[in-house]
Amino acid sequence: MRDIGRRRKETVNQSPKGPKLGIKKYMPFYIMFLPVLIYYVVFRYIPLIYSLIISLVKYQPAKGILGSKFVGLEYYLQFIKSTFFVRLIRNTLAINFLQLTLGFVAPIILALLLNEVGRAKFKKMVQTVTYLPNFISSVVVVSMVVTFLSPSTGLINNILQAFGLEKVNFLTEPGYFWMIFTLMTMWQTTGYTAIIYLASLTGINSELYEAARIDGAGRWKQLWYVTLPGISSTIVLMFLMKVGRVLDVGYDTIVLMYNPSIYSTSDVIGTYVYRRGILNGEYSFGSAVGFFQSIIGLALVILANKMAKKYSETSLW
Amino acid sequence: MKESKGRIVFQCINYTFLFLMMVVCLYPVLYVLAASLSSFEFLSRGKVGIIPMGFTLDAYKRILTYPMLGRSYFNTFFYTIAGTIISMLISALAAYPLSRRPFPGQKFMSKVIVIAMLFSAGIVPTFLVVTKLNMYNTVWSILLPTAVSSFNVILLKNFFQQIPYELEESASLDGCSQTMILFRIILPLSMPGVVTVGLFYAVAQWNSYFPAMLYLRDRALVPIQIILRDIVIQNQTTDLAIDLVKGSDQISESVKYATIMVATLPIMLVYPFIQKYFVKGVMVGSVKG
């Protein structure tokens, strides 16, 4: 986005003449953009406005929005006061916290370790293999987790049994869910995300390392003073992207994995919206909870972006 | 250069660790493959590793005779191909104006795309809009609501920007229209980008199941991922999976593994060929996005 701005200034200086929107001159561009504009309006922006309106009325599809009774913030309050509220927020934040720590650091470490590998062939092999899980669909990954953890025939329980340990029904014990989900997500994404860091590692000027070595910096010092600052803007950017989705923790995957016996740890805002809003058809309530989530998410991105701008000069906008 | 002792120790640990990482990533996939080809006696005793024990193709034979599976498989191919074409067309048309020299409407255009990336409406209102448009339980509910990804549009824009503007200018002087410039010059010249983004869309569509779960009631329309969910995850032995998994328990376990394999196989087969494009795409996207 940055370079667009730069070029804009140049041309404005070069040719100040011409009508304000350049409708005639740029007509083909506007027509080309039309399909995507329609797409975004219909499937992104109308639902957004819809969401806000429906959450404020007692929506009944048969009566339409205008025929439905206006109830104000009732559904929001109902959600905040409900017994589920604390549990949902806790689960959502806990899973996020694990992903923002373990899940965030793992690809950086993998990239740094890969960067130390001298043999290009081995490096490429590791990259290829660790990148593979990213192509496997959530349904398949969850299928594998379910079959591996199955109490009767699962691989993990067979191993436990071989060591003379009790079999565990992992997917019905609430205590395991956070970790299982985090490890599963890490398995899927670590290799993929590491590539992004590897890309920015290759962008570091090698003269900087030379200079550091001449100054007597060891490997650790080089890592600390050259490598990490070199990829810090990528790290910040990736962090911001993650924060943007902070309340949206892959609920579509959780929907596949969870069951009533582990709702206490696995039910997150997204799954709750799906159950109440779609399965139960409580459109207004579902919209209110969904809108609440979007607002908090947006607020967090704006906050994180401000912080990033202040401390690291990197930002999303 | 002489390596220090600590350095050698570090390298040993590093190589071992990375090797283990590969094992962790590959093992589950190889295990599923082996399990799908193994007989029940070995599977139930937990004897199967990454080499099939009591080799048998029974599970696959069972799947092949199951009409629902073939139908859903065909559906997935259809959604992947049609979806990718629609997505690419809309995305390329949007990315092109964004990649050109600034013009008055451009700022608005990039705002439309970036805001949608940051702020999502949630499933309930989207569901209602799709239903209102009479797309519920039609193929359009799978092809359209998730057609465009802002990230992919920005990625394409970055690829298009790498093409020198002079080319476009001279084509324009030769009387080429903007549409012709896009399709005859820009797209062919940014083939790596087009392939990358196309693959992103295709893989996403192949792997997608959530829209199908939301919008499709008709069993004849569902993709393979839904069948997989019913058989393996939900262990559904109702209407559709009954003849497949029930009947003889002997075979049901390997049928589950075989179904996982079948749903993943096409991606596994093309993976070695498309992998380098993805790496390239991720790199361009991350460096300039």
Side-chain angles (χ1 to χ4, degrees), chain A residues 124 127-128 131 134-135 192 195-196 199, chain B residues 151-152 155 159 187-203 270-286:
Chain A
K124 215 173 163 193
Q127 263 183 280
T128 309
Y131 194 31
N134 188 55
F135 285 82
Y192 168 79
I195 290 180
I196 295 171
Chain B
F151 176 80
N152 286 349
L155 206 63
F159 275 106
L187 283 180
L189 283 177
S190 34
M191 232 20 193
V194 172
V195 173
T196 308
V197 174
L199 287 171
F200 274 134
Y201 277 128
V203 171
V270 292
Y271 178 70
F273 305 102
I274 62 181
Q275 193 253 137
K276 62 169 190 251
Y277 287 106
F278 271 93
V279 174
K280 208 171 179 181
V282 172
M283 287 189 166
V284 171
S286 62

Side-chain angles (χ1 to χ4, degrees), chain A residues 10-261:
Chain A
E10 285 166 17
T11 34
V12 165
N13 289 340
Q14 278 164 12
S15 57
K17 55 181 184 291
K20 199 123 208 257
L21 260 175
I23 295 287
K24 220 173 190 175
K25 190 174 169 204
Y26 294 107
M27 201 54 189
F29 285 171
Y30 293 125
I31 293 173
M32 282 174 166
F33 196 73
L34 208 58
V36 95
L37 185 67
I38 294 171
Y39 168 80
Y40 276 110
V41 169
V42 172
F43 293 111
R44 303 287 177 92
Y45 293 120
I46 288 180
L48 206 57
I49 299 162
Y50 221 56
S51 174
L52 179 63
I53 298 171
I54 288 174
S55 70
L56 298 174
V57 300
K58 192 174 177 186
Y59 179 67
Q60 285 161 302
K63 289 186 183 169
I65 291 180
L66 293 175
S68 301
K69 200 179 139 215
F70 181 81
V71 294
L73 294 175
E74 195 188 305
Y75 290 110
Y76 291 89
L77 294 174
Q78 197 182 320
F79 173 57
I80 293 170
K81 283 181 192 155
S82 80
T83 45
F84 285 101
F85 183 72
V86 174
R87 188 172 93 177
L88 292 171
I89 297 281
R90 185 202 62 192
N91 291 344
T92 311
L93 291 181
I95 291 169
N96 252 297
F97 177 76
L98 287 171
Q99 286 184 351
L100 275 177
T101 47
L102 296 177
F104 189 76
V105 175
I108 301 178
I109 293 176
L110 178 62
L112 291 174
L113 290 178
L114 270 173
N115 201 39
E116 295 293 325
V117 170
R119 284 165 223 267
K121 243 190 179 160
F122 183 72
K123 188 173 168 180
K124 215 173 163 193
M125 201 161 79
V126 177
Q127 263 183 280
T128 309
V129 171
T130 54
Y131 194 31
L132 176 73
N134 188 55
F135 285 82
I136 299 177
S137 77
S138 305
V139 183
V140 170
V141 175
V142 174
S143 298
M144 294 206 282
V145 170
V146 169
T147 46
F148 286 167
L149 296 180
S150 147
S152 50
T153 50
L155 179 67
I156 305 290
N157 272 312
N158 283 333
I159 294 171
L160 285 181
Q161 208 178 25
F163 283 100
L165 295 165
E166 288 276 312
K167 289 197 168 198
V168 183
N169 196 346
F170 291 98
L171 288 171
T172 53
E173 292 273 347
Y176 295 108
F177 183 78
W178 291 348
M179 218 50 220
I180 292 173
F181 186 72
T182 306
L183 290 175
M184 189 186 92
T185 320
M186 281 170 71
W187 185 76
Q188 271 184 291
T189 58
T190 301
Y192 168 79
T193 319
I195 290 180
I196 295 171
Y197 292 112
L198 270 175
S200 85
L201 277 172
T202 52
I204 299 176
N205 192 341
S206 56
E207 282 169 25
L208 287 175
Y209 285 105
E210 222 144 280
R213 224 170 299 148
I214 290 165
D215 287 345
R219 292 269 172 188
W220 283 108
K221 289 233 157 128
Q222 284 175 37
L223 174 76
W224 196 250
Y225 292 106
V226 182
T227 312
L228 285 179
I231 59 169
S232 67
S233 64
T234 309
I235 295 179
V236 171
L237 214 61
M238 294 298 288
F239 192 77
L240 287 174
M241 304 264 270
K242 276 226 160 171
V243 169
R245 273 171 261 136
V246 96
L247 293 184
D248 172 20
V249 283
Y251 68 92
D252 46 347
T253 316
I254 297 180
V255 163
L256 289 171
M257 283 175 93
Y258 76 168
N259 53 67
S261 60

